[in-house]
């Protein structure tokens, strides 16, 4: 399995010394995210997120299937995150690397276990038919911050997606096509966003959103997932540098501010996209006028 | 070591420092720590022949490995491997915390150099009054949750190292409000401190016993 290229000793010393003097290589301050850019696809349910140079694509699709036998009233909701060689030459397809497992578990805990989607609303006929919603996250370029970017991409795609409308007639279930009836958005209860912190120099320096180079040199890391209401969905600090409790709480408070900013930005982007979409669809219907 | 914490029972076995089994684990300047966790089929509420490749188990293994890689003085044993094996015989909540405590005791018994005790504890939060109530009396942190409490209430697992109150591991898997988190963390840190004294007592008693029997 090819190992990632480790930074050279010169680079390592330079980055760590700069951090001691409150400087980051790309000039950000310690608490700011990189430039976030979200765009949506032509079809419903496709979100493309760029966080600096890291690029992640999330795709939502749904099909009708049988619910699990122990949960007849719930729909099925799955998230797959597979790291492939497209993101970085260090990754291989085949799911046994530690990083991949941690990433998958984190995203699953953040979105699935915290009930971001109301699975009961996905039920069509109890015990027989339900919607199985599937989110596929594809990593296009790895420059650090994979967890944050994939979480944003997944929730953006879920909010963007519209599923076909269904009508139940006794035992028969009719699925209407997208042109027959207006498609229905998924019922989203809250929007979790992940913020990853990296620690250096015995806990004195903590950075938000590390680039790949900063990630390779860090001593410890912690990922907090919050929604804009101030609820913590999950915290994962798996070993690494020991940090004081107060510092961690401070990180959590800063993370809350960041999460609110990102949620507002995401909302703005979604509104822009839906405005563009209505303009496009309306034009398709009728006019004899030229677009001026 | 064998730890029984309420109804949660875990056996931990430490081997090493040994020659690494795979060449990939050989690290020139420090020892590698490998953790294997095995849930017994009879440990939970229903009999489950838990698959070894289960992601939850792998995540637990990684968390333990990273925690102890920090605590063990690995630069004293370069190019070797320390293998920690855990068998979980009975689960009744606080499984990860009990694993960490069992590992610490086993490592001390094996004579592997640790920088300090790694002690772990869980805490949960129970709201006395429901609704939007931000008064401190409205929340009630609980220390050390069992299975029933863990499946219903939000809970956090915290592991501290030594007396410094610095946190090595923090895991929260359920939704909780940020304000309540502070109370939970305070209670857990207090619990860890008391637990460290208990563990220290046990280690010293055991050490004295072994010295008396002439094993040392």
């Amino acid at each position: 399995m090819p190992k990632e290229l480790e930074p050279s000793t010169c680079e390592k010393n330079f980055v760590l010394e700069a951090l001691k003097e409150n400087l980051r290589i790309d000039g950000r301050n310690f608490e700011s995210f990189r430039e976030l850019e979200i765009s949506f696809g032509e079809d419903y349910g496709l979100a493309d997120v760029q966080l600096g140079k890291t690029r992640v694509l999330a795709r939502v699709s749904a099909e009708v299937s049988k619910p699990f036998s122990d949960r007849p009233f719930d729909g099925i909701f799955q998230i797959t995150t597979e790291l492939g060689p497209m993101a970085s030459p260090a990754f291989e397809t085949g799911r046994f690397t530690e990083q991949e497992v941690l990433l998958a578990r984190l995203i699953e805990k953040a979105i699935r276990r915290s009930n971001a989607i109301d699975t009961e609303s996905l039920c069509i006929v109890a015990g027989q038919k339900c919607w199985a919603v599937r989110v596929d996250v594809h990593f296009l370029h790895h420059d650090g911050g994979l967890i944050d970017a994939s979480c944003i991409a997944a929730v953006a795609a879920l909010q963007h997606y519209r599923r076909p409308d269904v009508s139940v007639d006794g035992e028969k279930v009719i699925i209407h096509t997208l042109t027959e009836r207006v498609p229905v958005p998924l019922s989203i209860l809250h929007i979790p966003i992940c913020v990853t912190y990296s620690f250096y120099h015995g806990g004195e320096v903590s950075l938000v959103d590390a680039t790949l180079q900063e990630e390779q040199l860090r001593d410890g890391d912690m990922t907090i997932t919050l929604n804009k209401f101030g609820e913590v969905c999950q915290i994962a600090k798996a070993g690494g540098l020991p940090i004081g409790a107060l510092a961690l709480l401070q990180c959590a408070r800063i993370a809350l501010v960041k999460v609110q900013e990102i949620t507002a930005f995401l909302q703005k982007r979604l509104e822009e996209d839906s405005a563009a979409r209505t303009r496009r669809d309306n034009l398709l219907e009728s006019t004899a006028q030229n677009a001026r | 070591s064998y730890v029984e914490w309420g109804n949660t029972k875990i056996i931990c076995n430490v081997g090493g420092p040994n020659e690494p089994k795979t060449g990939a684990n050989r690290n020139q300047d420090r020892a590698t720590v490998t953790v294997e966790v095995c849930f017994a089929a009879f440990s939970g509420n229903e009999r489950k022949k838990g698959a070894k490749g289960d992601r939850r188990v792998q995540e637990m293994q990684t968390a333990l490995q990273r925690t102890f890689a920090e605590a063990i003085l690995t630069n004293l044993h370069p190019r070797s491997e320390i293998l920690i094996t855990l068998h979980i015989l009975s689960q009744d909540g606080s499984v990860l915390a009990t694993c960490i405590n069992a590992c610490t005791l086993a490592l001390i018994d094996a004579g592997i150099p640790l920088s300090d005790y790694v002690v772990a504890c869980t805490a949960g939060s129970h709201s006395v009054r429901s609704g939007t109530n931000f008064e401190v009396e409205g929340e009630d942190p609980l220390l050390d949750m069992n299975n029933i409490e863990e499946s219903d209430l939000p809970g956090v697992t915290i592991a501290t190292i030594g007396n410094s109150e610095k946190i090595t591991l923090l895991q929260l898997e359920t939704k909780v409000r940020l304000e309540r988190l502070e109370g939970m963390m305070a209670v857990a840190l207090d619990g860890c401190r008391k637990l460290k004294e208990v563990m220290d007592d046990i280690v010293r008693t055991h050490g004295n016993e072994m010295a008396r029997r002439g094993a040392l």
Side-chain angles (χ1 to χ4, degrees):
Chain A
M1 188 157 58
K3 281 191 82 164
E4 224 167 45
L5 199 61
E6 282 189 20
S8 60
T9 319
C10 301
E11 278 181 329
K12 186 166 149 185
N13 289 338
F14 185 67
V15 171
L16 291 176
E17 282 297 321
L19 285 174
K20 265 195 213 162
E21 295 177 21
N22 285 339
L23 289 171
R24 261 174 115 158
I25 295 294
D26 49 2
R28 290 181 278 159
N29 66 23
F30 285 177
E31 290 149 17
S32 59
F33 266 84
R34 283 169 286 181
E35 170 126 11
L36 179 63
E37 188 49 56
I38 308 179
S39 57
F40 298 98
E42 287 260 332
D43 285 338
Y44 287 120
L46 181 67
D48 180 354
V49 170
Q50 271 177 296
L51 189 61
K53 288 199 195 145
T54 301
R55 195 158 169 195
V56 174
L57 199 77
R59 185 67 158 125
V60 178
S61 52
E63 60 170 15
V64 179
S65 77
K66 204 163 179 312
F68 293 128
S69 47
D70 51 347
R71 286 168 191 266
F73 297 107
D74 279 340
I76 302 177
F77 177 42
Q78 274 175 335
I79 308 182
T80 48
T81 51
E82 285 194 5
L83 295 169
M86 183 158 32
S88 158
F91 298 150
E92 252 187 26
T93 43
R95 26 172 52 225
F96 292 101
T97 52
E98 194 180 287
Q99 189 184 15
E100 197 165 340
V101 170
L102 284 177
L103 177 67
R105 281 286 297 168
L106 259 165
I107 299 290
E108 202 184 346
K109 273 193 273 188
I111 304 182
R112 205 158 76 101
R113 277 190 70 166
S114 70
N115 287 331
I117 289 229
D118 183 17
T119 44
E120 282 193 8
S121 68
L122 298 175
C123 179
I124 307 175
V125 177
Q128 289 170 22
K129 288 197 172 44
C130 70
W131 284 108
V133 174
R134 203 195 140 95
V135 183
D136 287 294
V137 183
H138 302 277
F139 297 91
L140 302 178
H141 190 249
H142 174 32
D143 190 33
L146 283 183
I147 300 172
D148 304 347
S150 50
C151 185
I152 298 177
V155 294
L158 284 167
Q159 281 187 296
H160 188 245
Y161 182 65
R162 303 278 181 271
R163 64 167 172 80
D165 197 8
V166 217
S167 50
V168 183
D169 181 19
E171 276 295 321
K172 236 174 22 148
V173 174
I174 310 173
I175 305 177
H176 301 276
T177 60
L178 295 174
T179 45
E180 204 179 315
R181 272 209 207 167
V182 179
V184 172
L186 298 172
S187 87
I188 298 190
L189 300 174
H190 71 104
I191 306 171
I193 307 267
C194 294
V195 177
T196 305
Y197 278 89
S198 311
F199 302 112
Y200 306 82
H201 291 305
E204 279 174 25
V205 175
S206 64
L207 300 180
V208 170
D209 188 27
T211 59
L212 183 58
Q213 193 184 46
E214 290 167 345
E215 254 183 32
Q216 285 168 328
L217 300 170
R218 65 184 170 197
D219 295 327
D221 65 297
M222 173 170 79
T223 304
I224 309 188
T225 311
L226 297 144
N227 61 22
K228 67 175 183 185
F229 306 119
E231 288 175 342
V232 181
C233 304
Q234 63 101 32
I235 305 184
K237 180 188 187 315
L241 204 58
I243 306 286
L246 290 171
L248 288 177
L249 282 170
Q250 183 61 14
C251 291
R253 282 189 210 107
I254 298 174
L256 179 58
V257 175
K258 295 286 150 202
V259 163
Q260 285 165 335
E261 281 172 21
I262 296 180
T263 317
F265 179 71
L266 180 57
Q267 194 59 32
K268 195 175 71 137
R269 273 274 178 271
L270 277 165
E271 280 164 17
E272 281 172 15
D273 177 76
S274 82
R277 197 174 284 273
T278 25
R279 262 203 317 272
R280 194 177 63 215
D281 289 342
N282 279 341
L283 275 174
L284 281 173
E285 278 195 13
S286 63
T287 57
Q289 248 182 23
N290 286 332
R292 278 179 216 284
Chain B
S1 68
Y2 173 60
V3 173
E4 256 185 47
W5 197 354
N7 280 331
T8 304
K9 303 181 187 10
I10 296 186
I11 290 184
C12 177
N13 191 20
V14 168
N18 281 330
E19 171 97 27
K21 288 204 191 88
T22 59
N25 276 346
R26 194 190 307 264
N27 197 333
Q28 280 298 98
D29 47 351
R30 41 187 68 233
T32 43
V33 178
T34 313
V35 178
E36 279 180 19
V37 175
C38 185
F39 279 80
F42 46 82
S43 60
N45 277 335
E46 304 154 347
R47 188 189 169 85
K48 209 197 292 190
K49 193 132 186 259
K52 211 112 190 264
D54 191 14
R55 277 197 292 189
R56 186 172 145 242
V57 172
Q58 272 188 307
E59 191 196 3
M60 210 187 264
Q61 283 173 195
T62 312
L64 289 165
Q65 188 232 323
R66 286 196 189 172
T67 313
F68 285 102
E70 274 293 315
I72 298 176
L73 299 170
T74 45
N75 46 348
L76 293 178
H77 296 286
R79 296 184 293 273
S80 20
E81 185 184 27
I82 298 172
L83 179 64
I84 305 178
T85 319
L86 288 150
H87 287 275
I88 298 174
L89 303 172
S90 165
Q91 297 179 56
D92 187 31
S94 301
V95 172
L96 183 57
T98 318
C99 284
I100 293 177
N101 295 332
C103 282
T104 307
L105 291 170
L107 285 167
I108 294 175
D109 190 47
I112 292 184
L114 279 174
S115 60
D116 210 328
Y117 285 79
V118 183
V119 184
C121 195
T122 51
S125 175
H126 168 63
S127 56
V128 174
R129 275 167 284 185
S130 59
T132 51
N133 188 351
F134 296 118
E135 297 171 28
V136 179
E137 294 92 61
E139 74 169 75
D140 195 13
L142 307 164
L143 184 63
D144 185 28
M145 302 193 297
N146 66 12
N147 209 3
I148 309 175
E149 288 164 356
E150 221 169 55
S151 44
D152 241 358
L153 300 172
V156 64
T157 305
I158 294 189
T160 53
I161 190 160
N163 282 327
S164 62
E165 286 210 7
K166 289 204 165 189
I167 300 179
T168 34
L169 181 131
L170 199 157
Q171 236 182 44
L172 173 75
E173 293 184 0
T174 39
K175 260 201 296 191
V176 78
R177 290 202 63 87
L178 193 56
E179 300 94 34
R180 302 217 263 172
L181 184 64
E182 217 173 312
M184 283 158 66
M185 278 170 74
V187 162
L189 287 173
D190 198 37
C192 284
R193 204 179 355 187
K194 300 216 175 77
L195 198 58
K196 179 184 180 251
E197 289 167 21
V198 172
M199 277 170 67
D200 200 27
D201 269 339
I202 296 177
V203 166
R204 283 177 204 278
T205 325
H206 179 66
N208 284 334
E209 183 66 33
M210 285 184 78
R212 194 180 63 80
R213 275 199 252 143
L216 281 174

